[in-house]
Amino acid sequence: MQTDSSFTFVLFGGTGDLSMRKILPALFEAHRAGGMLADSGKIVAVARHAANRDEYLQWVNEHVKPHVSKDGLDEAAWTSFLERIEFVKIDLGNPEDFVQLRDAIKHLPGIRVFYLATGPSLFVPICHALASVGLNENARIVLEKPLGYDLKSSNAINDAVGEIFAEEQIYRIDHYLGKEPVQNLLALRFGNALFEPLWRREWVESIQITIAEELGVEARGDFYDNTGALRDMVQNHLLQLLSIVAMEPPHSMDSDSVRDEKLRVLRALKPIDPNEIGKVAVRGQYHAGGIRGSTVPGYATEAGVKPDSTTETFVALKVEIENWRWAGVPFFLRTGKRLADRVAEIVVNFRAVPHSALGASALRAGANRLVIRLQPNETIRLYCLAKQPGEGMNLASVHLDLAFDKFFREGQMEAYQRLLLDVIRGRLALFVRRDEQEAAWRWVEPILNEWKVSTKPPKPYAAGTWGPAAASAMLAQHGTCWLEEEN
């Protein structure tokens, strides 16, 4: 493969929501920054909902501009960015149309990146059509989630794509791995002598990983009702974050070294006993409620959702890792829609001191904790105890704060921007390897299968709350609580 910086970025689903909200804004930010994208680099949008390039650029002006950074739109940069964009109108269901795509890009230089911002049902047909016109060479292909519905369907897609593209050409994207605090978690652990000795069962009491959303299913009711939170969020995002938190130090930061260590974590997950699922897994579904002063409908009345749907919109899990570093430490994973706040964070609760010469207040909650906030405000906070000013030894919880926007003058790079640049430059470390994906599906499947045949409906929770009470009860059995409950 070529290693120079020239590229042709072919965007399938070029008029879709993901392209408008994430992919094109990320490419624009890289373009505006200067020096990140080769001047010769081209973006070729593929869709059938525009008649020609002029109509497509009008669509881009209307739908992408609202999603670029808030510090003002540089019109000169925007105009030069649009000059990078070409458009090819083809029907993805007609392989013969791919001849037009081949002819449109055959003269363009550099590595070819094919980004499949489409439904997974189109992944295999697109790959076959690319191969039929010889476009699978000197190329990289990016696959969005969901990659399959279960282990069998995931393997079927991977088998088919793997017949056309080599594993090192395939980039299975998980945008949470591109977030700045996740990168800083690696720096924090493996660049500082302070944390590594404490990052183990002897000093860590429990770990929480939460991805919470205020939004409901919006216009995705049809898709979501056949997917659910376990497939949509746990099998990929949450398990990937868990593997980053729990992995052993790699011998280097090259792609296979990092992914080998993540895979070892996924393979060490304690298998789920179907008879114990009720004790370690909570599924819920939101009902009508209030969020920030507005009343929102329940899931079953959302457009595209079956009125008697048992699809889960909330999942909480207790996970254990069977290895020497983490044996006995519970990892609590949680995700849901229509929750009280939009937040993604990792909470590492260290053990309290074994004996306090300073009194009971030295054993108080709110200290000995590391909180890594992924969104909306990306920060890392280390909570500890300090003496309050004045008479007596009165302790208070304080924190050391790494707020990226205050500490670093350079603007932060959005997750998609980082990941797209990594694809162009051939860096695989932040993308999911096939064996990682298989291990995650294999661990999740017993829960999927049990919920599929269960006669018990998901536990209800009101929109605007933090989910079913059963999720809190699960943590209470281990003498702890979710972070927001403590506060």
Side-chain angles (χ1 to χ4, degrees):
M1 289 186 180
Q2 291 183 230
T3 56
D4 63 36
S5 57
S6 298
F7 67 93
T8 300
F9 189 97
V10 180
L11 178 58
F12 291 95
T15 55
D17 184 60
L18 180 64
S19 297
M20 298 297 106
R21 290 187 303 108
K22 295 295 184 181
I23 300 171
L24 288 175
L27 289 170
F28 169 69
E29 293 300 338
H31 168 85
R32 179 166 66 167
M36 289 186 176
L37 298 178
D39 291 341
S40 59
K42 286 289 186 180
I43 300 165
V44 180
V46 175
R48 61 178 180 178
H49 298 302
N52 51 45
R53 180 175 183 270
D54 289 341
E55 186 175 308
Y56 181 72
L57 293 184
Q58 181 179 347
W59 181 275
V60 169
N61 270 311
E62 294 175 3
H63 294 87
V64 176
K65 272 188 175 182
H67 299 291
V68 300
S69 63
K70 299 177 182 177
D71 59 350
L73 180 64
D74 183 335
E75 288 294 343
W78 180 254
T79 299
S80 61
F81 174 69
L82 294 183
E83 292 173 358
R84 288 186 184 269
I85 300 178
E86 302 294 339
F87 175 75
V88 179
K89 178 182 174 66
I90 65 175
D91 180 355
L92 297 181
N94 184 4
E96 295 179 0
D97 280 9
F98 280 71
V99 174
Q100 300 176 41
L101 176 62
R102 181 196 63 194
D103 293 344
I105 69 175
K106 64 182 180 182
H107 66 286
L108 299 176
I111 191 73
R112 290 168 181 156
V113 173
F114 298 108
Y115 197 114
L116 274 56
T118 67
S121 63
L122 291 172
F123 290 175
V124 174
I126 289 173
C127 289
H128 280 296
L130 289 172
S132 71
V133 294
L135 290 178
N136 58 321
E137 299 178 1
N138 188 36
R140 296 166 187 149
I141 188 156
V142 185
L143 304 179
E144 267 285 350
K145 76 172 185 76
L147 200 68
Y149 186 77
D150 52 19
L151 179 59
K152 182 179 179 180
S153 58
S154 175
N155 282 340
I157 293 174
N158 278 316
D159 287 343
V161 174
E163 291 176 358
I164 298 163
F165 294 93
E167 180 63 28
E168 61 268 20
Q169 293 178 278
I170 303 172
Y171 291 70
R172 300 173 188 85
I173 195 167
D174 187 327
H175 71 275
Y176 275 88
L177 298 184
K179 290 182 176 291
E180 197 72 58
V182 175
Q183 304 301 295
N184 262 295
L185 174 58
L186 295 173
L188 201 71
R189 280 194 59 191
F190 305 136
N192 299 284
L194 174 64
F195 288 103
E196 180 55 29
L198 304 178
W199 213 263
R200 59 190 66 249
R201 62 185 302 274
E202 291 86 356
W203 298 106
V204 175
E205 186 173 76
S206 66
I207 293 178
Q208 300 174 17
I209 305 177
T210 293
I211 302 176
E213 299 177 273
E214 282 187 319
L215 294 175
V217 296
E218 306 308 296
R220 300 167 70 231
D222 287 332
F223 161 78
Y224 197 88
D225 207 37
N226 291 301
T227 304
L230 190 64
R231 291 185 179 90
D232 191 41
M233 299 297 291
V234 176
Q235 181 273 331
N236 39 69
H237 299 325
L238 281 168
L239 288 185
Q240 282 293 316
L241 291 178
L242 181 148
S243 66
I244 290 284
V245 170
M247 64 188 279
E248 293 295 320
H251 74 82
S252 73
M253 295 307 292
D254 71 81
S255 59
D256 280 330
S257 295
V258 172
R259 296 190 295 180
D260 285 347
E261 298 304 335
K262 288 165 56 188
L263 177 62
R264 289 189 177 97
V265 173
L266 293 170
R267 287 179 172 172
L269 295 177
K270 183 179 179 180
I272 297 291
D273 181 346
N275 297 318
E276 297 292 314
I277 286 177
K279 298 179 181 179
V280 299
V282 176
R283 64 169 177 159
Q285 186 184 100
Y286 67 83
H287 288 198
I291 294 181
R292 302 191 185 281
S294 299
T295 300
V296 296
Y299 175 75
T301 62
E302 299 272 21
V305 175
K306 297 185 291 292
D308 58 349
S309 173
T310 59
T311 298
E312 77 283 355
T313 62
F314 176 95
V315 175
L317 300 169
K318 178 203 166 195
V319 180
E320 295 182 62
I321 301 174
E322 296 184 315
N323 62 20
W324 277 42
R325 182 183 289 267
W326 296 113
V329 177
F331 287 71
F332 298 106
L333 312 184
R334 176 178 58 164
T335 186
K337 290 189 173 295
R338 290 294 190 207
L339 297 182
D341 200 1
R342 173 181 175 265
V343 62
E345 65 187 7
I346 300 165
V347 180
V348 181
N349 292 309
F350 295 100
R351 297 188 186 278
V353 294
H355 169 72
S356 175
L358 301 176
S361 62
L363 301 175
R364 65 187 294 176
N368 297 301
R369 171 179 293 150
L370 183 69
V371 178
I372 302 152
R373 177 65 66 90
L374 307 180
Q375 65 184 29
N377 301 313
E378 299 181 338
T379 60
I380 295 178
R381 285 184 173 180
L382 177 63
Y383 289 82
C384 53
L385 292 176
K387 179 188 176 298
Q388 294 183 18
E391 184 180 2
M393 185 57 72
N394 298 313
L395 304 181
S397 177
V398 298
H399 62 263
L400 308 175
D401 198 348
L402 173 55
F404 300 107
D405 58 342
K406 296 178 181 178
F407 196 88
F408 298 105
R409 293 184 178 181
E410 301 86 357
Q412 291 187 59
M413 189 179 291
E414 291 293 329
Y416 268 96
Q417 182 180 343
R418 172 181 288 104
L419 294 173
L420 295 181
L421 289 173
D422 278 0
V423 176
I424 292 169
R425 293 167 184 169
R427 301 169 180 166
L428 278 159
L430 299 181
F431 296 85
V432 181
R433 204 167 58 191
R434 176 174 179 169
D435 48 9
E436 290 181 75
Q437 194 171 66
E438 288 181 3
W441 272 120
R442 192 169 289 111
W443 186 81
V444 162
E445 272 210 324
I447 307 173
L448 286 172
N449 293 338
E450 181 64 21
W451 286 354
K452 184 178 180 180
V453 301
S454 176
T455 58
K456 297 180 180 178
K459 296 183 183 299
Y461 65 95
T465 66
W466 282 103
S472 298
M474 184 171 66
L475 270 69
Q477 293 174 0
H478 296 274
T480 187
C481 63
W482 297 107
L483 181 62
E484 77 280 349
E485 294 174 334
E486 182 178 293
N487 295 334

